[in-house]
């Protein structure tokens, strides 16, 4: 049912160093165990070459109120990187944009709360020249930065 689907914890795609899927796991467990998983980061620019940044919502489970890229998240099983980026851009920032994948890299970053990001991160770029319609559950604020 739709209600159950919303209540179920999102799963991340576990990958090896070659970005080959080796399984799935609930997001929180993957961050507790610092397991490598697929993720993406979206950067949106405007016609003046500025980058749209978001400030993460105060209620986020890690890095609340951190200023960061336009949006980021985790792909779902069977979802392309571009489709995932477009989905999350709409969910977090309230707009759509064409995206292009630029590169990917692996990083590992422990947080003060005991969780660790260990991601095979796919970086995408798009452009947009209006004001976003931010989702307050995900985003506290936004700004253009040169």
């Amino acid at each position: 049912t739709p209600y159950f689907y919303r209540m179920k914890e999102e799963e991340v795609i576990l990958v090896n160093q070659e970005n080959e899927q080796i399984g799935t796991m609930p997001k929180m467990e993957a961050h507790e165990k610092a397991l490598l998983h697929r993720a993406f980061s979206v950067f949106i620019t405007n016609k003046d070459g500025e980058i749209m940044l978001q400030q993460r919502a105060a209620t986020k489970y890690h890095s609340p109120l951190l200023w960061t890229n336009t949006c980021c998240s985790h792909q779902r099983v069977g979802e392309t990187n571009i489709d995932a980026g477009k989905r999350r851009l709409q969910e977090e920032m309230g707009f759509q944009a064409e995206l292009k994948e630029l590169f990917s890299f692996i990083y590992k970053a422990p947080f003060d709360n005991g969780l660790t990001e260990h991601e095979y991160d796919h970086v995408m770029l798009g452009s947009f020249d209006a004001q976003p319609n931010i989702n307050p559950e995900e985003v506290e604020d936004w700004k253009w930065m040169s």
Side-chain angles (χ1 to χ4, degrees):
T1 65
Y3 177 76
F4 175 76
Y5 179 76
R6 285 197 308 273
M7 297 305 294
K8 186 175 187 287
E9 185 181 354
E10 190 154 343
E11 297 216 327
V12 296
I13 301 168
L14 302 178
V15 296
N16 61 22
Q17 298 282 322
E18 286 75 47
N19 193 33
E20 296 165 334
Q21 182 173 335
I22 58 172
T24 62
M25 181 176 283
K27 180 172 69 172
M28 194 60 74
E29 184 180 355
H31 290 111
E32 288 167 351
K33 295 179 176 178
L35 296 177
L36 183 62
H37 58 278
R38 197 171 287 157
F40 63 87
S41 299
V42 175
F43 292 87
I44 296 293
T45 60
N46 64 18
K47 62 184 180 313
D48 297 323
E50 297 170 312
I51 297 175
M52 180 184 288
L53 299 181
Q54 72 151 271
Q55 184 180 31
R56 291 169 59 89
T59 55
K60 297 297 274 186
Y61 70 96
H62 76 76
S63 308
L65 301 178
L66 179 73
W67 284 96
T68 186
N69 51 24
T70 311
C71 80
C72 57
S73 190
H74 305 93
Q75 297 86 332
R76 294 176 177 160
V77 173
E79 189 176 43
T80 68
N81 296 330
I82 296 293
D83 286 345
K86 288 181 174 183
R87 170 182 53 81
R88 203 64 188 141
L89 192 60
Q90 180 66 51
E91 291 171 358
E92 290 187 22
M93 303 302 287
F95 68 88
Q96 297 178 353
E98 290 303 310
L99 300 177
K100 176 175 70 172
E101 189 168 345
L102 299 180
F103 60 90
S104 57
F105 67 101
I106 294 173
Y107 78 98
K108 191 172 188 178
F111 297 117
D112 292 341
N113 63 4
L115 301 177
T116 300
E117 282 287 20
H118 189 193
E119 296 186 333
Y120 197 112
D121 194 38
H122 298 264
V123 178
M124 293 173 266
L125 180 68
S127 64
F128 185 71
D129 287 302
Q131 289 213 352
N133 179 21
I134 61 173
N135 175 353
E137 292 180 12
E138 298 287 341
V139 180
E140 191 75 22
D141 200 2
W142 73 279
K143 64 182 173 183
W144 290 112
M145 181 162 245
S146 53

